[in-house]
Amino acid sequence: MTTALRPRTLEVFLGERSYPIHLGAGTLAAAGDAIARHTKATHAVVVSAPAIGRRYGATLVRSLRQAGLRTTRIDVPDGDAAKSLRQASRLYERLLASQADRSSVVVALGGGAVGDLAGFAAATYLRGVSFVQVPTTVLAMVDASIGGKVAVNLPQGKNLVGAFHQPRLVWIDIATLRSLPLRDRAAGLAEVVKAAAIRDAGFFGQLERDAERLLALEPAALLPALERACAIKAEVVSRDEREEGLRMLLNFGHTLAHAVEALTGYRRVLHGEAVSMGMAFAARRSEQLGCAPAGTAARLTALLERLGLPIELPRRPRSAYLAALKVDKKRRDARIHYIVLRGIGRAEAVPLTPAEIVPAASGRPRS
Ligand SMILES: NC(=O)c1ccc[n+]([C@@H]2O[C@H](COP(=O)([O-])OP(=O)(O)OC[C@H]3O[C@@H](n4cnc5c(N)ncnc54)[C@H](O)[C@@H]3O)[C@@H](O)[C@H]2O)c1
Ligand SMILES: [Zn+2]
């Protein structure tokens, strides 16, 4: 095996709740051993959406059994349909029926939605049982599975009921991405670009070199890129678990992304696509506000476009965007901590009103 493909491990440092993120290519069958070692559990409950369970569930369950654990498999609905109190409640009932107790571990196998639901159930069932993430989307690998935020949605909005519940282990096998549609790959890569844009210019250059290879899931390009993106999220989470200063930078592109998602009713636009639009917008605003040197936005949007990501906000009246920004839950008083770039690789939060974020100039938030 070449060095580029060797499995690697990062650590999220959170005192006694520290945990490793393991990345590899073709390592799913080795997950059971690691899960047994890191949780000391005797019973594993693998939670997944049916299509993912069919593809990868058997390999994971077999490795858990070989590691000596009793196993239970639970199917939940696909995507955000999983993230409801009703589904959480059904999950509790099935956990009870499987006699899950404090010696059980809940293993989320799937995208961020399944991870959020399974993690929420793990955080609350019996006041908390151990939890492991086996993410199978790019977005879940570099973002949702790291940091311990777990939640379900309410009809009124996303992630309104949740908890902080850190996993004991994050097990990433990039071979599981082979079945992920191109559009979802690109959307996840938007968060990888975000990590580079706010924190690491050298990494950004690496993404510029490798964009097409990343989309094609070439392990020699993808593994180091996901590792660096995970490391950035892990570093931010380690230094700032509960979202005060530093963690705010991860919101780069997200203020407008949340507005786009609200305005489009969370349909048609994937989260990563909304983030791409929000980042392109924020980079242009960063230049207009005199925060970033000219050319910053052009470099960012060029990379996003090579990844097949959208860089223009949906055409809606400015008033619609202003209204959507006013319900952004990151709002503090009348100002929002808006994340601007200082240049490629450096970001900061600037308190701005919605009207300053989306200026009247064009009548629409397009620049
Ligand atoms: N907890 C956090 O910190 C955090 C951070 C970001 C996002 N999230 C949440 O994550 C969710 C989005 O995550 P996502 O983008 O992974 O979406 P997702 O979980 O909805 O998955 C997207 C689609 O891909 C499918 N899929 C997953 N893995 C696959 C594979 N290997 N092959 C083929 N298909 C596969 C899923 O079944 C689903 O249909 C949202 O609910 C969001 O709120 C949470
Ligand atoms: Zn995001």
Side-chain angles (χ1 to χ4, degrees):
M1 190 179 286
T2 67
T3 330
L5 301 183
R6 212 175 38 214
R8 57 237 20 231
T9 303
L10 306 165
E11 186 82 8
V12 181
F13 293 103
L14 289 169
E16 60 188 21
R17 286 170 301 117
S18 296
Y19 55 94
I21 303 167
H22 185 280
L23 298 103
T27 48
L28 187 61
D33 246 358
I35 293 171
R37 256 184 304 116
H38 285 281
T39 64
K40 311 270 184 278
T42 56
H43 172 217
V45 181
V46 176
V47 180
S48 57
I52 305 307
R54 266 198 305 280
R55 255 180 226 282
Y56 306 111
T59 305
L60 179 57
V61 162
R62 200 178 315 119
S63 88
L64 286 159
R65 290 208 179 125
Q66 279 165 359
L69 280 80
R70 179 169 75 86
T71 57
T72 302
R73 276 175 69 166
I74 299 180
D75 271 352
V76 296
D78 190 42
D80 262 58
K83 289 178 55 173
S84 69
L85 285 169
R86 192 174 115 81
Q87 289 304 329
S89 159
R90 296 186 53 165
L91 191 42
Y92 298 139
E93 281 165 29
R94 283 184 274 180
L95 286 166
L96 270 177
S98 76
Q99 298 180 315
D101 60 20
R102 305 302 296 265
S103 64
S104 304
V105 55
V106 172
V107 182
L109 171 68
V114 165
D116 276 9
L117 169 72
F120 178 76
T124 45
Y125 180 73
L126 304 180
R127 297 201 183 83
V129 296
S130 42
F131 175 46
V132 166
Q133 293 267 23
V134 183
T136 64
T137 65
V138 176
L139 184 122
M141 289 175 183
V142 300
D143 191 358
S145 69
I146 307 167
K149 282 208 242 169
V150 295
V152 295
N153 305 329
L154 293 181
Q156 290 83 354
K158 277 191 56 132
N159 302 323
L160 291 178
V161 182
F164 279 89
H165 190 58
Q166 300 294 342
R168 297 290 183 85
L169 171 69
V170 179
W171 191 267
I172 295 173
D173 175 3
I174 63 167
T176 61
L177 296 174
R178 281 270 145 230
S179 51
L180 190 69
L182 196 59
R183 194 175 162 199
D184 290 281
R185 295 182 197 176
L189 287 171
E191 301 278 5
V192 176
V193 171
K194 177 195 77 178
I198 62 172
R199 204 104 183 110
D200 187 341
F203 179 31
F204 194 90
Q206 183 184 323
L207 299 178
E208 288 177 316
R209 268 194 316 280
D210 286 344
E212 288 73 23
R213 301 173 67 206
L214 294 170
L215 269 184
L217 305 177
E218 271 185 41
L222 189 62
L223 209 48
L226 295 190
E227 178 185 19
R228 186 66 194 117
C230 286
I232 290 170
K233 172 106 194 219
E235 181 209 356
V236 170
V237 167
S238 294
R239 287 171 49 173
D240 194 359
E241 188 184 5
R242 284 185 188 248
E243 185 145 18
E244 302 308 312
L246 190 56
R247 198 162 178 165
M248 251 171 9
L249 299 185
L250 295 175
N251 280 333
F252 176 56
H254 280 61
T255 301
L256 262 296
H258 293 148
V260 168
E261 290 174 325
L263 291 174
T264 56
Y266 297 94
R267 286 183 298 273
R268 294 195 301 274
V269 180
L270 298 178
H271 174 70
E273 293 170 344
V275 171
S276 176
M277 298 169 186
M279 289 194 292
F281 181 83
R284 295 183 196 114
R285 282 303 284 141
S286 304
E287 288 186 20
Q288 291 158 1
L289 293 164
C291 300
T296 306
R299 237 182 115 185
L300 180 65
T301 53
L303 176 57
L304 293 170
E305 286 201 290
R306 277 171 66 199
L307 292 170
L309 288 162
I311 55 164
E312 296 293 344
L313 298 172
R315 285 186 158 274
R316 296 289 147 87
R318 177 177 183 240
S319 58
Y321 278 96
L322 290 180
L325 288 179
K326 292 207 169 93
V327 302
D328 188 310
K329 66 183 170 184
K330 267 71 185 192
R331 182 179 63 102
R332 300 245 173 96
D333 306 326
R335 287 173 192 276
I336 294 169
H337 289 270
Y338 190 64
I339 310 304
V340 295
L341 291 183
R342 281 267 158 217
I344 295 295
R346 278 195 310 143
E348 73 179 13
V350 181
L352 294 176
T353 63
E356 289 166 331
I357 294 170
V358 182
S362 61
R364 265 198 198 98
R366 319 192 78 206
S367 41

